[in-house]
Amino acid sequence: MAKPAPSTLDQVVSLCKRRGFVYPCGEIYGGTRSAWDYGPLGVELKENIKRQWWRFMVTMRDNVVGLDSSVILPTKTWEASGHLSTFSDPLVECTSCHKRFREDHLQEEYAGKKGTPDNPMDPDSVDINESVACPNCGNRGTWTAPRAFNMMLKTYLGVIEDESGLHYLRPETAQGIFLNFANVVTSSRQKPPFGIAQMGKSFRNEITPGNFIFRTREFEQMEMEFFVKPGEDEEWFRYWIEQRTRWYTDLGIHPDNLRHYEHPQEKLSHYSKGTTDIEYRFGFSGRDFEELEGIANRTDFDLSQHSKFSGQDLSYFDQANNERYVPYVIEPAAGLTRSLMAFLIDAYTEDEAPNTKGGVDKRVVLKLDPRLAPVKAAVLPLSRNADLSPKAKDLAQELRSHGWNIDFDDSGAIGRRYRRQDEIGTPYCVTVDFDTLEDHAVTVRERDSMSQERVALDQISAYFAQRFVGC
């Protein structure tokens, strides 16, 4: 397989804003820093990614079930989980301009610039006061000592904003799963090894959000907690690393753009026995690879903590072996918008296409897997014509009846319409031309190869049904 091209991050960001994948939040009021709205194409892509994740993690397995828990959980949840005491980042402030940054991000960026793939620099060895200039004002040696900054976002329930009404927006979807462990076991009769999956919004008061939609304060997670018998956790930990990596490559991510990063023991989270990140080559300045998804062995920490704080027994009784134990948990946790960003970067391609003058034009094409493509097919009448347009509109509606997102476009030259669909990743264009009125067939153009074939109108639904399996 050919080595992938360098990251095309800047071109993808421009495309997202121009074509309606992602808009700045509240742009007419000046925007909200690092908050984004997802436009017509962006919301379709997000839904397709979630659908594929759910199908892979839940629908296709007989030992994983779903859950949708509340965004606001009892405050005691976060005491038990350790979030109130340990969910913090090292905050430093530049005494010249008073801008604040995460110390570890400054160290990582500096190490990424100074190190090489063959001789990487250890971020922990970077003394920011000796080597790191402030990204805002450029001064050196002006950093304060780091202090812990808790990233939980507060809210208040009730009519009076006091400590009695203090609650937190969840920083992860996992804890709602742990709180419902006993409910799920009882109602669904699951037994280890089994998983509970959840998708939904989480909130973190990040010190330095940025890099487009990579790090934001409001984001969506796709998480699964997989409960196993102690002693079987290492096998399942390796299994889910392999499975989750395969999910990305099966949906089109080039394997060379993925790598595994095993967290050193001294950097593991308080609940973790082992954590491996699936990293993607996003192409950010100073550090090509960043975390796409984390797979953690959380041991029995969460269920034991919630048992202790709630007074409820969250152990599991294995009747077959007459033994009781607190399950260990393997957690694959993915960020939805990070996945969206990775799929777009990997799919972005520039090549050449023939034009009507006998030459070639530059073509921008998103080579998205059809299962992810926001629009599955575009129906294009060759021209705005009293006979062609109505027939094309009827065809588009017929295809929509199968549940596929179908675009209809009769504006401009056919070549330009092809380019517009290529740019948003539409796998197929269907052209209704004057021959269609005679032979009752249409021309289907495939996006990546630009090859064309004639398909009978009464066969077109079956034609796409074969190509949109799993969509």
Side-chain angles (χ1 to χ4, degrees), residues 233-452:
D233 51 300
E234 288 295 335
E235 177 185 354
W236 284 109
F237 181 55
R238 292 190 297 271
Y239 170 82
W240 282 112
I241 293 171
E242 185 277 329
Q243 287 286 296
R244 292 304 304 143
T245 305
R246 184 166 65 84
W247 184 76
Y248 290 105
T249 57
D250 179 60
L251 286 171
I253 297 291
H254 196 292
D256 286 353
N257 285 335
L258 295 174
R259 73 179 186 186
H260 292 157
Y261 171 72
E262 184 176 342
H263 289 217
Q265 288 294 314
E266 66 272 15
K267 287 192 173 183
L268 289 174
S269 300
H270 62 281
Y271 53 75
S272 174
K273 176 181 176 181
T275 298
T276 295
D277 289 343
I278 301 173
E279 294 188 327
Y280 177 74
R281 194 195 304 268
F282 285 99
F284 299 140
S285 174
R287 182 176 165 88
D288 262 2
F289 283 88
E290 284 285 359
E291 179 190 349
L292 180 59
E293 174 168 345
I295 297 93
N297 182 342
R298 297 182 73 120
T299 69
D300 61 357
F301 174 84
D302 298 280
L303 292 181
S304 295
Q305 284 292 100
H306 288 303
S307 290
K308 175 183 175 181
F309 276 73
S310 69
Q312 303 295 312
D313 183 7
L314 297 180
S315 63
Y316 175 79
F317 181 66
D318 183 351
Q319 292 183 330
N321 295 300
N322 194 32
E323 62 176 329
R324 183 176 293 278
Y325 58 85
V326 178
Y328 273 36
V329 178
I330 309 302
E331 177 193 71
L336 171 58
T337 51
R338 289 188 181 186
S339 297
L340 182 149
M341 195 171 173
F343 284 123
L344 286 175
I345 292 172
D346 226 83
Y348 184 92
T349 307
E350 294 180 2
D351 61 16
E352 293 180 337
N355 59 36
T356 57
K357 299 178 181 179
V360 294
D361 293 328
K362 173 185 170 182
R363 182 177 78 131
V364 173
V365 54
L366 285 181
K367 295 187 176 181
L368 291 167
D369 186 287
R371 290 169 291 179
L372 300 181
V375 177
K376 302 307 180 191
V379 178
L380 316 174
L382 189 61
S383 65
R384 281 183 174 171
N385 175 276
D387 294 318
L388 296 187
S389 286
K391 199 168 192 67
K393 287 182 177 179
D394 289 344
L395 175 58
Q397 194 57 41
E398 177 192 337
L399 296 176
R400 291 187 188 110
S401 70
H402 295 279
W404 305 317
N405 189 20
I406 304 297
D407 192 16
F408 173 86
D409 185 0
D410 63 356
S411 176
I414 191 68
R416 286 198 294 270
R417 284 182 276 163
Y418 283 154
R419 295 293 94 77
R420 288 199 291 262
Q421 297 299 328
D422 292 340
E423 195 175 42
I424 65 172
T426 305
Y428 298 97
C429 289
V430 181
T431 303
V432 177
D433 54 28
F434 290 101
D435 288 339
T436 303
L437 304 177
E438 303 297 330
D439 64 6
H440 305 290
V442 290
T443 298
V444 178
R445 173 189 179 272
E446 196 272 333
R447 177 195 65 206
D448 297 346
S449 67
M450 294 181 281
S451 62
Q452 300 185 9

Side-chain angles (χ1 to χ4, degrees), residues 32 36 44 113 125 175 226 235 250 354 384 406 408 452:
T32 299
W36 304 91
E44 290 287 342
K113 291 178 179 177
S125 69
Q175 296 304 318
F226 197 74
E235 177 185 354
D250 179 60
R384 281 183 174 171
I406 304 297
F408 173 86
Q452 300 185 9

Side-chain angles (χ1 to χ4, degrees), residues 30-150:
T32 299
R33 187 181 174 211
S34 295
W36 304 91
D37 297 332
Y38 291 83
L41 295 176
V43 74
E44 290 287 342
L45 180 52
K46 281 177 64 177
E47 289 304 309
N48 290 343
I49 293 171
K50 289 194 286 187
R51 186 177 297 112
Q52 293 305 318
W53 187 88
W54 196 263
R55 180 171 290 159
F56 182 84
M57 298 295 288
V58 182
T59 309
M60 295 177 63
R61 304 176 190 274
D62 63 1
N63 62 343
V64 179
V65 295
L67 182 75
D68 184 8
S69 69
S70 175
V71 167
I72 301 176
L73 299 172
T75 301
K76 205 77 171 176
T77 301
W78 311 115
E79 295 180 28
S81 68
H83 280 83
L84 287 180
S85 59
T86 64
F87 192 62
S88 60
D89 281 333
L91 171 69
V92 293
E93 181 177 318
C94 174
T95 56
S96 294
C97 66
H98 302 290
K99 291 290 184 179
R100 296 171 178 176
F101 302 89
R102 277 180 57 169
E103 181 189 39
D104 55 337
H105 285 176
L106 295 173
Q107 292 173 315
E108 289 171 2
E109 184 172 353
Y110 183 86
K113 291 178 179 177
K114 295 298 181 180
T116 66
D118 296 330
N119 187 27
M121 185 178 186
D122 181 8
D124 289 338
S125 69
V126 177
D127 184 334
I128 64 171
N129 267 307
E130 289 185 359
S131 55
V132 178
C134 173
N136 183 60
C137 69
N139 285 315
R140 296 179 184 273
T142 57
W143 299 109
T144 63
R147 64 181 179 87
F149 173 79
N150 192 282

